């Protein structure tokens, strides 16, 4: 009967959560989904083979690992449903619900109460702060990493309390299977040992009243690893860490000062959720430049110190409170400290928020220990919290079910967010017909783009939006826009995301939707390439994209080949560029040079489309193929 009721509870809760999210599943891909999913050829899996699986696993561009587990999951999504955003988001929802089960079982083991664990898991599942980890497809990296981490954490707890061979088996499964899978989904999995250590030092110690040998060894090992890491950073002056700030408009000091306020912002989103406070982008948050600018900087840092002190003092008298605080702070140990990441994103709370629901559950336990009206009040408050979160999540999901609706609402809630204004302009252009420059739609799209230019002197995409908008209504792009875009591409920090601007310039030129001439295109590409902050890897990509433009739009083959030569100086073994170089050589009658490069490509690791193009070009050479044969290979490669 107990298992039956538990199963019914899971089904009912899962159905309710799915209903809250359902309208949001009809939304489209957006923001980083494009560069991490839609633009990656290996994710477009069409067959289940060892080669296609390997290509997918090695296709990632995010993080030092490439996050292969998440990449493979995207590829499998494509294999079964193509690039159907509903299927991708539904998969995210399934992962979210599965992770919610792990939250329940983990909370039940910590709280020793089934119904309060059920409340904690439901709160975690339904809270609106989790929405972007479900409906923002690329954040599957976060959710699937959390799934494996919680699975490992639960197995570790079971293993430590089981004894015998079963204990060894569970611990090996936790540390040798779940932990690596979590790391290979996203680097937040690296925090797993710290979460385990927090449990050992706080929860298990409070029950056993002492630390056993295993816990002492673990604490010593983790302490040594942290000490070695700090020594390495000091001795190498952390160049790898500081290099990341070359593409940011803030310093490490400014980020650390700001993150103190950000953590309290996250806490306010969790404990006092308001619909207009949530958003995909929080680039409207002011940077902290010192302890008093803005004035909330120092109080926020002191407040965090007080939170740490509270956690330390509560470790004996209220271990669940102490553990919840520790889990939240550890969970932000990577993404909210020294790494040169964006300042704030809601999905960074997907894992840390488990600690917060444990704190809420602890409070509920304390309240329901009483009888009479206090217990009734506590249960009523718990129901009210769940109802309020469900309402906000449902409203947000409805908002995310339509890209035009999502962007227009978010820009109303965050009028000083540069990226929200840009996405609002893009949505108007992509989803509504703009007949001419006198249309109200033209006015609103232009207003959003112009606002981005005013709000952020380093933001570049809004200027390209203005240029493209005028091209759509058959108006010439204003020269001041082109000049300012060229200036920003050359004089302001060139971030990795800025490559998208040049990619879209190339793509729109090829499709004929951008009304810039060759000199203007050359000016924009040259400005970006010669920017002192543009890394060599990005320079190589930009030279390659300019070659695409010169070959497919202007038909200037020598100039295109020259750009490829420049790209190959940075990345001499790039298979895609070598293929394009061979095509250009063949079109210019340089058959011997082309054959030399094609033979070299035979021994390289190629994607499926690259292998097809290589075979096609070799066939053209073997049969003394015509220019039409070579051109067909070129067009097939660029479809």
């Amino acid at each position: 009967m107990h298992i039956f009721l538990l199963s019914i509870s899971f089904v009912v809760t899962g159905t309710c959560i799915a209903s809250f999210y359902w309208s949001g599943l009809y939304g489209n891909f957006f923001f980083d989904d494009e560069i991490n999913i839609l633009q990656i050829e290996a994710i477009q899996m069409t067959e289940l083979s060892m080669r296609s699986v390997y290509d997918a696993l090695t296709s990632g561009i995010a993080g030092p690992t490439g996050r292969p587990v998440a990449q493979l999951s995207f590829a499998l999504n494509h294999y079964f449903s193509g690039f159907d955003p509903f299927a991708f988001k539904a998969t995210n929802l399934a992962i979210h619900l599965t992770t919610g089960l792990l939250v329940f079982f983990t909370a039940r083991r910590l709280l020793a109460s089934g119904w309060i664990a059920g409340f904690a898991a439901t709160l975690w599942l339904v809270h609106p702060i989790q929405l972007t980890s479900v409906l923002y497809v690329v954040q599957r990296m976060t959710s699937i990493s959390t799934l494996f981490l919680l699975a490992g954490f639960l197995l570790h707890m079971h293993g430590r309390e089981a004894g015998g061979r079963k204990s060894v088996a569970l611990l090996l499964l936790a540390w040798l299977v779940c932990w690596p899978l979590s790391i290979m989904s996203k680097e937040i999995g690296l925090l797993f040992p710290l979460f385990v250590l927090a449990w050992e030092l706080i929860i298990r110690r409070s029950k056993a009243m002492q630390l056993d040998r295993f816990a002492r060894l673990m604490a010593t090992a983790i302490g040594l690893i942290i000490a070695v890491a700090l020594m390495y950073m000091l001795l190498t002056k952390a160049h790898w860490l500081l290099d990341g700030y070359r593409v940011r408009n803030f310093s490490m000091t400014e980020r650390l000062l700001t993150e103190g306020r950000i953590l309290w912002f996250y806490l306010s989103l969790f404990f006092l959720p308001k619909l207009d406070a949530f958003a995909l982008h929080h680039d409207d948050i002011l940077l902290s430049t010192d302890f008093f600018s803005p004035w909330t900087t120092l109080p926020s840092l002191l407040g965090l110190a007080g939170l740490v002190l509270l956690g330390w003092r509560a470790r004996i008298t209220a271990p669940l409170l102490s553990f919840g605080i520790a889990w939240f702070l550890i969970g932000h140990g990577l993404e909210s400290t020294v790494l040169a990441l964006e300042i704030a994103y809601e999905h960074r709370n997907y894992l840390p928020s488990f600690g917060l629901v444990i704190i809420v559950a602890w409070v509920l336990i304390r309240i329901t220990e009483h009888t009479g009206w206090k217990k009734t009040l506590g249960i009523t408050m718990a129901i009210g919290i769940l109802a309020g979160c469900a309402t906000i999540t449902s409203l947000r999901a409805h908002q995310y079910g339509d890209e035009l609706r999502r962007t227009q609402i978010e820009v109303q809630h965050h009028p000083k967010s540069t990226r929200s204004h840009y996405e609002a302009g893009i949505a108007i252009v992509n989803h509504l017909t703009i007949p001419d420059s006198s249309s109200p739609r033209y006015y609103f799209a232009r207003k959003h783009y112009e606002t981005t230019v005013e709000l952020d002197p380093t933001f570049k995409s809004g200027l390209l939006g203005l240029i493209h908008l005028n091209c759509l209504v058959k108006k010439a792009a204003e020269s001041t826009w082109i000049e300012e875009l060229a200036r920003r591409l050359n004089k302001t920090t060139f971030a990795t995301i800025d490559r998208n601007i040049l990619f879209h310039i190339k793509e729109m030129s090829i499709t004929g939707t951008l009304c810039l001439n060759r000199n203007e295109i050359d000016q924009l590409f040259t400005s970006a390439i010669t920017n002192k902050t543009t890394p060599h890897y990005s320079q190589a990509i930009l030279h390659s994209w300019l070659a695409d433009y010169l070959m497919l739009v202007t038909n200037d083959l020598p100039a295109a080949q020259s750009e490829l030569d420049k790209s190959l100086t940075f990345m001499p073994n790039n298979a895609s560029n070598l293929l394009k170089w061979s095509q250009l050589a063949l079109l210019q009658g340089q058959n011997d040079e082309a054959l030399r490069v094609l033979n070299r490509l035979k021994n390289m690791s190629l994607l499926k489309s690259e292998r097809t193009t290589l075979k096609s070009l070799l066939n053209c050479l073997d049969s003394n193929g015509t220019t039409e044969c070579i051109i067909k290979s070129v067009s097939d490669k660029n479809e």
Side-chain angles (χ1 to χ4, degrees), residues 325-338:
I325 293 171
W327 187 285
F328 175 75
L329 294 176
I330 291 168
H332 281 289
L334 277 182
E335 295 182 301
S336 300
T337 52
V338 297

mmCIF file with all atom_site columns, all heavy atoms in Angstrom, residues 325-338:
data_model
loop_
_atom_site.group_PDB
_atom_site.id
_atom_site.type_symbol
_atom_site.label_atom_id
_atom_site.label_alt_id
_atom_site.label_comp_id
_atom_site.label_asym_id
_atom_site.label_entity_id
_atom_site.label_seq_id
_atom_site.pdbx_PDB_ins_code
_atom_site.Cartn_x
_atom_site.Cartn_y
_atom_site.Cartn_z
_atom_site.occupancy
_atom_site.B_iso_or_equiv
_atom_site.pdbx_formal_charge
_atom_site.auth_seq_id
_atom_site.auth_comp_id
_atom_site.auth_asym_id
_atom_site.auth_atom_id
_atom_site.pdbx_PDB_model_num
ATOM 1   N N   . ILE A 1 325 ? 22.458 25.825 4.051   1.00 0.00 ? 325 ILE A N   1
ATOM 2   C CA  . ILE A 1 325 ? 23.288 27.002 3.754   1.00 0.00 ? 325 ILE A CA  1
ATOM 3   C C   . ILE A 1 325 ? 24.558 26.575 3.019   1.00 0.00 ? 325 ILE A C   1
ATOM 4   O O   . ILE A 1 325 ? 24.957 27.191 2.024   1.00 0.00 ? 325 ILE A O   1
ATOM 5   C CB  . ILE A 1 325 ? 23.630 27.759 5.054   1.00 0.00 ? 325 ILE A CB  1
ATOM 6   C CG1 . ILE A 1 325 ? 22.369 28.383 5.659   1.00 0.00 ? 325 ILE A CG1 1
ATOM 7   C CG2 . ILE A 1 325 ? 24.679 28.835 4.785   1.00 0.00 ? 325 ILE A CG2 1
ATOM 8   C CD1 . ILE A 1 325 ? 22.576 28.972 7.048   1.00 0.00 ? 325 ILE A CD1 1
ATOM 9   N N   . ALA A 1 326 ? 25.204 25.523 3.522   1.00 0.00 ? 326 ALA A N   1
ATOM 10  C CA  . ALA A 1 326 ? 26.438 25.040 2.897   1.00 0.00 ? 326 ALA A CA  1
ATOM 11  C C   . ALA A 1 326 ? 26.183 24.602 1.461   1.00 0.00 ? 326 ALA A C   1
ATOM 12  O O   . ALA A 1 326 ? 26.974 24.909 0.560   1.00 0.00 ? 326 ALA A O   1
ATOM 13  C CB  . ALA A 1 326 ? 27.015 23.878 3.712   1.00 0.00 ? 326 ALA A CB  1
ATOM 14  N N   . TRP A 1 327 ? 25.091 23.879 1.234   1.00 0.00 ? 327 TRP A N   1
ATOM 15  C CA  . TRP A 1 327 ? 24.785 23.403 -0.125  1.00 0.00 ? 327 TRP A CA  1
ATOM 16  C C   . TRP A 1 327 ? 24.594 24.576 -1.081  1.00 0.00 ? 327 TRP A C   1
ATOM 17  O O   . TRP A 1 327 ? 25.111 24.575 -2.194  1.00 0.00 ? 327 TRP A O   1
ATOM 18  C CB  . TRP A 1 327 ? 23.536 22.521 -0.102  1.00 0.00 ? 327 TRP A CB  1
ATOM 19  C CG  . TRP A 1 327 ? 23.253 21.862 -1.428  1.00 0.00 ? 327 TRP A CG  1
ATOM 20  C CD1 . TRP A 1 327 ? 22.742 22.466 -2.552  1.00 0.00 ? 327 TRP A CD1 1
ATOM 21  C CD2 . TRP A 1 327 ? 23.482 20.501 -1.789  1.00 0.00 ? 327 TRP A CD2 1
ATOM 22  N NE1 . TRP A 1 327 ? 22.632 21.570 -3.579  1.00 0.00 ? 327 TRP A NE1 1
ATOM 23  C CE2 . TRP A 1 327 ? 23.075 20.351 -3.144  1.00 0.00 ? 327 TRP A CE2 1
ATOM 24  C CE3 . TRP A 1 327 ? 23.973 19.392 -1.099  1.00 0.00 ? 327 TRP A CE3 1
ATOM 25  C CZ2 . TRP A 1 327 ? 23.155 19.133 -3.815  1.00 0.00 ? 327 TRP A CZ2 1
ATOM 26  C CZ3 . TRP A 1 327 ? 24.051 18.177 -1.766  1.00 0.00 ? 327 TRP A CZ3 1
ATOM 27  C CH2 . TRP A 1 327 ? 23.649 18.054 -3.112  1.00 0.00 ? 327 TRP A CH2 1
ATOM 28  N N   . PHE A 1 328 ? 23.848 25.596 -0.641  1.00 0.00 ? 328 PHE A N   1
ATOM 29  C CA  . PHE A 1 328 ? 23.610 26.768 -1.501  1.00 0.00 ? 328 PHE A CA  1
ATOM 30  C C   . PHE A 1 328 ? 24.911 27.470 -1.857  1.00 0.00 ? 328 PHE A C   1
ATOM 31  O O   . PHE A 1 328 ? 25.161 27.789 -3.029  1.00 0.00 ? 328 PHE A O   1
ATOM 32  C CB  . PHE A 1 328 ? 22.659 27.740 -0.804  1.00 0.00 ? 328 PHE A CB  1
ATOM 33  C CG  . PHE A 1 328 ? 22.448 29.025 -1.554  1.00 0.00 ? 328 PHE A CG  1
ATOM 34  C CD1 . PHE A 1 328 ? 21.649 29.066 -2.687  1.00 0.00 ? 328 PHE A CD1 1
ATOM 35  C CD2 . PHE A 1 328 ? 23.070 30.191 -1.134  1.00 0.00 ? 328 PHE A CD2 1
ATOM 36  C CE1 . PHE A 1 328 ? 21.466 30.259 -3.390  1.00 0.00 ? 328 PHE A CE1 1
ATOM 37  C CE2 . PHE A 1 328 ? 22.892 31.387 -1.820  1.00 0.00 ? 328 PHE A CE2 1
ATOM 38  C CZ  . PHE A 1 328 ? 22.090 31.419 -2.954  1.00 0.00 ? 328 PHE A CZ  1
ATOM 39  N N   . LEU A 1 329 ? 25.760 27.702 -0.863  1.00 0.00 ? 329 LEU A N   1
ATOM 40  C CA  . LEU A 1 329 ? 27.007 28.422 -1.108  1.00 0.00 ? 329 LEU A CA  1
ATOM 41  C C   . LEU A 1 329 ? 27.982 27.592 -1.943  1.00 0.00 ? 329 LEU A C   1
ATOM 42  O O   . LEU A 1 329 ? 28.644 28.114 -2.841  1.00 0.00 ? 329 LEU A O   1
ATOM 43  C CB  . LEU A 1 329 ? 27.644 28.835 0.219   1.00 0.00 ? 329 LEU A CB  1
ATOM 44  C CG  . LEU A 1 329 ? 26.849 29.863 1.045   1.00 0.00 ? 329 LEU A CG  1
ATOM 45  C CD1 . LEU A 1 329 ? 27.524 30.119 2.382   1.00 0.00 ? 329 LEU A CD1 1
ATOM 46  C CD2 . LEU A 1 329 ? 26.676 31.166 0.264   1.00 0.00 ? 329 LEU A CD2 1
ATOM 47  N N   . ILE A 1 330 ? 28.082 26.291 -1.649  1.00 0.00 ? 330 ILE A N   1
ATOM 48  C CA  . ILE A 1 330 ? 28.947 25.418 -2.460  1.00 0.00 ? 330 ILE A CA  1
ATOM 49  C C   . ILE A 1 330 ? 28.461 25.388 -3.899  1.00 0.00 ? 330 ILE A C   1
ATOM 50  O O   . ILE A 1 330 ? 29.247 25.433 -4.849  1.00 0.00 ? 330 ILE A O   1
ATOM 51  C CB  . ILE A 1 330 ? 28.985 23.995 -1.868  1.00 0.00 ? 330 ILE A CB  1
ATOM 52  C CG1 . ILE A 1 330 ? 29.737 23.987 -0.543  1.00 0.00 ? 330 ILE A CG1 1
ATOM 53  C CG2 . ILE A 1 330 ? 29.652 23.017 -2.843  1.00 0.00 ? 330 ILE A CG2 1
ATOM 54  C CD1 . ILE A 1 330 ? 29.579 22.686 0.233   1.00 0.00 ? 330 ILE A CD1 1
ATOM 55  N N   . GLY A 1 331 ? 27.129 25.335 -4.078  1.00 0.00 ? 331 GLY A N   1
ATOM 56  C CA  . GLY A 1 331 ? 26.555 25.275 -5.414  1.00 0.00 ? 331 GLY A CA  1
ATOM 57  C C   . GLY A 1 331 ? 26.902 26.466 -6.287  1.00 0.00 ? 331 GLY A C   1
ATOM 58  O O   . GLY A 1 331 ? 26.885 26.370 -7.517  1.00 0.00 ? 331 GLY A O   1
ATOM 59  N N   . HIS A 1 332 ? 27.205 27.586 -5.656  1.00 0.00 ? 332 HIS A N   1
ATOM 60  C CA  . HIS A 1 332 ? 27.611 28.784 -6.406  1.00 0.00 ? 332 HIS A CA  1
ATOM 61  C C   . HIS A 1 332 ? 29.136 28.953 -6.417  1.00 0.00 ? 332 HIS A C   1
ATOM 62  O O   . HIS A 1 332 ? 29.634 29.998 -6.857  1.00 0.00 ? 332 HIS A O   1
ATOM 63  C CB  . HIS A 1 332 ? 26.950 30.031 -5.813  1.00 0.00 ? 332 HIS A CB  1
ATOM 64  C CG  . HIS A 1 332 ? 25.514 30.190 -6.230  1.00 0.00 ? 332 HIS A CG  1
ATOM 65  N ND1 . HIS A 1 332 ? 25.151 30.524 -7.510  1.00 0.00 ? 332 HIS A ND1 1
ATOM 66  C CD2 . HIS A 1 332 ? 24.367 30.014 -5.526  1.00 0.00 ? 332 HIS A CD2 1
ATOM 67  C CE1 . HIS A 1 332 ? 23.833 30.587 -7.582  1.00 0.00 ? 332 HIS A CE1 1
ATOM 68  N NE2 . HIS A 1 332 ? 23.329 30.272 -6.400  1.00 0.00 ? 332 HIS A NE2 1
ATOM 69  N N   . GLY A 1 333 ? 29.845 27.928 -5.966  1.00 0.00 ? 333 GLY A N   1
ATOM 70  C CA  . GLY A 1 333 ? 31.296 28.039 -5.839  1.00 0.00 ? 333 GLY A CA  1
ATOM 71  C C   . GLY A 1 333 ? 32.050 28.197 -7.143  1.00 0.00 ? 333 GLY A C   1
ATOM 72  O O   . GLY A 1 333 ? 33.146 28.759 -7.165  1.00 0.00 ? 333 GLY A O   1
ATOM 73  N N   . LEU A 1 334 ? 31.490 27.731 -8.245  1.00 0.00 ? 334 LEU A N   1
ATOM 74  C CA  . LEU A 1 334 ? 32.145 27.884 -9.544  1.00 0.00 ? 334 LEU A CA  1
ATOM 75  C C   . LEU A 1 334 ? 31.620 29.082 -10.315 1.00 0.00 ? 334 LEU A C   1
ATOM 76  O O   . LEU A 1 334 ? 32.384 29.948 -10.761 1.00 0.00 ? 334 LEU A O   1
ATOM 77  C CB  . LEU A 1 334 ? 31.945 26.617 -10.388 1.00 0.00 ? 334 LEU A CB  1
ATOM 78  C CG  . LEU A 1 334 ? 32.892 25.440 -10.161 1.00 0.00 ? 334 LEU A CG  1
ATOM 79  C CD1 . LEU A 1 334 ? 32.561 24.318 -11.135 1.00 0.00 ? 334 LEU A CD1 1
ATOM 80  C CD2 . LEU A 1 334 ? 34.341 25.862 -10.342 1.00 0.00 ? 334 LEU A CD2 1
ATOM 81  N N   . GLU A 1 335 ? 30.301 29.149 -10.481 1.00 0.00 ? 335 GLU A N   1
ATOM 82  C CA  . GLU A 1 335 ? 29.714 30.117 -11.414 1.00 0.00 ? 335 GLU A CA  1
ATOM 83  C C   . GLU A 1 335 ? 29.500 31.496 -10.813 1.00 0.00 ? 335 GLU A C   1
ATOM 84  O O   . GLU A 1 335 ? 29.194 32.434 -11.545 1.00 0.00 ? 335 GLU A O   1
ATOM 85  C CB  . GLU A 1 335 ? 28.383 29.578 -11.949 1.00 0.00 ? 335 GLU A CB  1
ATOM 86  C CG  . GLU A 1 335 ? 28.555 28.317 -12.795 1.00 0.00 ? 335 GLU A CG  1
ATOM 87  C CD  . GLU A 1 335 ? 27.245 27.799 -13.359 1.00 0.00 ? 335 GLU A CD  1
ATOM 88  O OE1 . GLU A 1 335 ? 26.338 27.499 -12.552 1.00 0.00 ? 335 GLU A OE1 1
ATOM 89  O OE2 . GLU A 1 335 ? 27.124 27.684 -14.585 1.00 0.00 ? 335 GLU A OE2 1
ATOM 90  N N   . SER A 1 336 ? 29.653 31.637 -9.519  1.00 0.00 ? 336 SER A N   1
ATOM 91  C CA  . SER A 1 336 ? 29.419 32.942 -8.888  1.00 0.00 ? 336 SER A CA  1
ATOM 92  C C   . SER A 1 336 ? 30.643 33.434 -8.126  1.00 0.00 ? 336 SER A C   1
ATOM 93  O O   . SER A 1 336 ? 30.512 34.187 -7.153  1.00 0.00 ? 336 SER A O   1
ATOM 94  C CB  . SER A 1 336 ? 28.208 32.850 -7.939  1.00 0.00 ? 336 SER A CB  1
ATOM 95  O OG  . SER A 1 336 ? 27.052 32.484 -8.644  1.00 0.00 ? 336 SER A OG  1
ATOM 96  N N   . THR A 1 337 ? 31.821 33.011 -8.566  1.00 0.00 ? 337 THR A N   1
ATOM 97  C CA  . THR A 1 337 ? 33.040 33.473 -7.894  1.00 0.00 ? 337 THR A CA  1
ATOM 98  C C   . THR A 1 337 ? 34.014 34.063 -8.927  1.00 0.00 ? 337 THR A C   1
ATOM 99  O O   . THR A 1 337 ? 33.716 35.067 -9.541  1.00 0.00 ? 337 THR A O   1
ATOM 100 C CB  . THR A 1 337 ? 33.687 32.337 -7.089  1.00 0.00 ? 337 THR A CB  1
ATOM 101 O OG1 . THR A 1 337 ? 33.857 31.183 -7.937  1.00 0.00 ? 337 THR A OG1 1
ATOM 102 C CG2 . THR A 1 337 ? 32.813 31.942 -5.906  1.00 0.00 ? 337 THR A CG2 1
ATOM 103 N N   . VAL A 1 338 ? 35.169 33.420 -9.133  1.00 0.00 ? 338 VAL A N   1
ATOM 104 C CA  . VAL A 1 338 ? 36.253 34.066 -9.876  1.00 0.00 ? 338 VAL A CA  1
ATOM 105 C C   . VAL A 1 338 ? 36.218 33.825 -11.384 1.00 0.00 ? 338 VAL A C   1
ATOM 106 O O   . VAL A 1 338 ? 36.904 34.531 -12.128 1.00 0.00 ? 338 VAL A O   1
ATOM 107 C CB  . VAL A 1 338 ? 37.629 33.611 -9.334  1.00 0.00 ? 338 VAL A CB  1
ATOM 108 C CG1 . VAL A 1 338 ? 37.802 34.032 -7.893  1.00 0.00 ? 338 VAL A CG1 1
ATOM 109 C CG2 . VAL A 1 338 ? 37.800 32.100 -9.480  1.00 0.00 ? 338 VAL A CG2 1
#
